[in-house]
Amino acid sequence: MTRQDLESRKAIEAVWRIEAASIIGGVARIVRDVGLAEEFAQDALLAALEHWPVDGIPEKPGAWLLTTARRRALDHLRHKRFAAEKAMEIGRELDFQHELATAAHAEAVDTRLDDPVGDDTLRLIFTACHPMLPAESRCMLTLRVMGGLSTTEIARAYLKPEPTVAQRIVRAKRALSQARIPFELPTAAELHPRLGTVLEVLYLIFNEGYAATTGGEWTRPALCEEATRLTRMLTGLMPGESEAFGLLALMELQASRLKARVSSDGEPVLLMDQDRSRWDRIRIHQGLTALARAEALSSSPGSYTLQAAIAACHARASAPEHTDWGQIAALYGTLARLTPSPIIELNRAVAVGMASGPEDGLAIVDALCNGQALQGYHLLPSVRGDLLLRLNRRDEARIEFERAATLTRNTREQALLRSRAKRCNQG
């Protein structure tokens, strides 16, 4: 493969990561089938891999991919004629086919939709989060087709085996296709039953952007931005939902630290080592404002609002030593009672270790080590290694950091953990 081919492939992959969700959403609006929409979007990706290295990258690559995918979809409809009642819609799309070569015309088509959002990506999320599917399958499907997450990334999020995740995604696509679920924003009465799943999907997409599961970059800011954008739209659509504002607050506060999470050469920078002058004060203000709105809407904060309150404790601390770890530990305790989870318990162990001492934190971690849920989760030995290091049990800490490095698939994180393991021998 030539240098030009490699550069073209990297460019195509970058465009795909950004544009995949909107392309799949745009095509799904035509074919009314999420699985088919993903297939035609993949066809467009293959076409780009074939043509761009030869013809050059188009001026508007996202529009090129969308146009190509739409043409595949329109050809499919023209030959298959799914249903008679779609004839007028198919004809209308064919009439506009020659106009779809630019993003401007694609946007013009979007404005004709008679829903208050006009966003194919958000519409795709609500379609994939249909209540006819089991809750977890809804999330997995949406993360795959909308978030562009791999089965590996989704499996990590749910602590499930990859084959299990793959099977559930396939079954969910088939179920939606067979049920002919309309690709449209639900009515106001139908929004609320899907809200919890939609929020979970947006939360997990943001998390993958904040700490990437695989690859050579520790963060994927574009994923964070897209998840935040969609959550902002959701708060406008459902202004009385406290947890939507809680999630928005969490995203804004976490995203405020993105630039400080990596060094100039892309190496990870841990929270306690970050240059807090690089934190985005505007996003912190936006996050605190959204948190206040969430708290005003409900006297019983939900899980996202509680997590936002934890993030706010960090945001308000001008230096690491000013962090109110006692408050953070208490908030994690409340969160653990509300939504019990081994990952929440692991996070609580970190906070307890900072507030009460590493011995107390280690006791919580050791209890988690006796269970099965986090056995393949790299942050379990990583947290344990950190607590052991603070107790000056350096040999044990080194073993834990080395083990954590073997469990993560992110090369930046592997390097960080191996570096920490090496420093244990230098103490």
Side-chain angles (χ1 to χ4, degrees):
M1 184 177 290
T2 67
R3 181 185 179 88
Q4 181 179 351
D5 289 340
L6 286 172
E7 291 177 353
S8 295
R9 179 175 287 275
K10 287 182 180 179
I12 292 168
E13 289 174 351
V15 171
W16 179 253
R17 283 196 298 269
I18 296 170
E19 302 288 350
S22 60
I23 293 168
I24 295 170
V27 176
R29 183 162 48 81
I30 298 173
V31 298
R32 297 294 195 263
D33 186 310
V34 173
L36 274 177
E38 186 183 15
E39 179 182 326
F40 295 136
Q42 290 286 344
D43 286 346
L45 175 61
L46 291 174
L49 289 169
E50 178 182 352
H51 293 288
W52 291 9
V54 177
D55 302 334
I57 299 171
E59 183 179 350
K60 296 181 178 180
W64 190 99
L65 288 167
L66 177 60
T67 300
T68 303
R70 281 177 180 267
R71 284 173 176 160
R72 298 285 196 279
L74 292 169
D75 286 344
H76 176 80
L77 291 178
R78 185 166 54 239
H79 290 104
K80 298 297 182 181
R81 301 295 186 184
F82 270 153
E85 65 266 24
K86 297 295 183 186
M88 291 184 62
E89 180 179 348
I90 294 169
R92 185 165 59 251
E93 292 286 350
L94 290 171
D95 289 340
F96 278 105
Q97 184 175 354
H98 69 283
E99 295 182 320
L100 295 177
T102 66
H105 282 106
E107 291 170 1
V109 172
D110 286 343
T111 62
R112 296 174 182 269
L113 298 171
D114 57 353
D115 69 60
V117 177
D119 185 273
D120 279 337
T121 305
L122 190 58
R123 196 177 297 107
L124 175 61
I125 293 175
F126 272 100
T127 300
C129 290
H130 196 281
M132 69 165 285
L133 298 174
E136 206 168 78
S137 296
R138 294 178 224 163
C139 288
M140 290 178 179
L141 171 63
T142 312
L143 289 169
R144 182 72 188 92
V145 299
M146 180 269 165
L149 273 61
S150 67
T151 52
T152 298
E153 293 161 346
I154 299 169
R156 184 192 76 157
Y158 284 98
L159 304 177
K160 302 283 188 184
E162 290 183 37
T164 299
V165 170
Q167 289 173 3
R168 290 187 183 181
I169 292 171
V170 169
R171 289 170 185 163
K173 287 181 187 177
R174 187 183 302 124
L176 287 180
S177 177
Q178 292 174 346
R180 297 289 178 87
I181 301 300
F183 182 70
E184 60 191 19
L185 198 70
T187 63
E190 296 172 325
L191 284 175
H192 194 272
R194 305 189 193 189
L195 178 62
T197 306
V198 171
L199 291 175
E200 182 177 345
V201 164
L202 294 173
Y203 171 72
L204 292 173
I205 290 171
F206 181 92
N207 280 354
E208 180 58 32
Y210 191 73
T213 301
T214 61
E217 301 300 329
W218 200 32
T219 63
R220 296 170 61 184
L223 274 185
C224 292
E225 288 303 319
E226 179 66 357
T228 305
R229 180 186 74 85
L230 292 169
T231 305
R232 286 195 199 105
M233 293 181 66
L234 194 58
T235 60
L237 187 65
M238 306 179 76
E241 294 294 338
S242 63
E243 277 292 79
F245 282 96
L247 180 57
L248 178 60
L250 175 61
M251 290 179 175
E252 295 283 16
L253 292 167
Q254 295 287 80
S256 73
R257 305 200 295 261
L258 277 172
K259 290 182 180 179
R261 276 175 58 77
V262 293
S263 65
S264 58
D265 58 359
E267 295 300 321
V269 181
L270 299 177
L271 176 63
M272 303 301 282
D273 300 324
Q274 288 173 16
D275 177 359
R276 300 194 177 204
S277 68
R278 298 187 67 198
W279 289 6
D280 189 330
R281 309 313 299 185
I282 294 175
R283 298 203 79 156
I284 289 174
H285 173 73
Q286 292 171 333
L288 294 176
T289 300
L291 176 58
R293 178 70 180 275
E295 292 173 338
L297 286 169
S298 175
S299 58
S300 301
S303 63
Y304 301 118
T305 302
L306 287 169
Q307 290 180 72
I310 292 168
C313 290
H314 292 296
R316 293 184 175 115
S318 58
E321 60 269 21
H322 298 155
T323 305
D324 189 348
W325 286 106
Q327 175 67 5
I328 292 174
L331 286 166
Y332 269 122
T334 303
L335 183 61
R337 290 189 293 273
L338 180 66
T339 55
S341 157
I343 292 179
I344 291 173
E345 193 68 1
L346 183 62
N347 287 328
R348 188 174 76 86
V350 174
V352 169
M354 295 298 293
S356 305
E359 298 93 341
D360 292 339
L362 188 61
I364 298 172
V365 172
D366 285 345
L368 289 170
C369 289
N370 293 328
Q372 293 297 315
L374 299 182
Q375 287 305 304
Y377 188 53
H378 72 285
L379 290 181
L380 179 62
S382 176
V383 169
R384 191 167 191 272
D386 186 66
L387 292 166
L388 288 167
L389 186 59
R390 290 173 57 202
L391 290 168
N392 205 32
R393 293 161 61 177
R394 292 180 172 274
D395 287 341
E396 294 173 85
R398 175 182 52 77
I399 292 171
E400 293 296 333
F401 288 136
E402 289 174 347
R403 179 167 178 267
T406 66
L407 292 175
T408 181
R409 299 190 186 185
N410 184 286
T411 56
R412 295 284 188 177
E413 196 165 21
Q414 286 172 355
L416 172 67
L417 289 164
R418 289 184 179 126
S419 175
R420 298 196 73 190
K422 185 177 180 180
R423 289 200 298 271
C424 289
N425 293 329
Q426 299 170 353

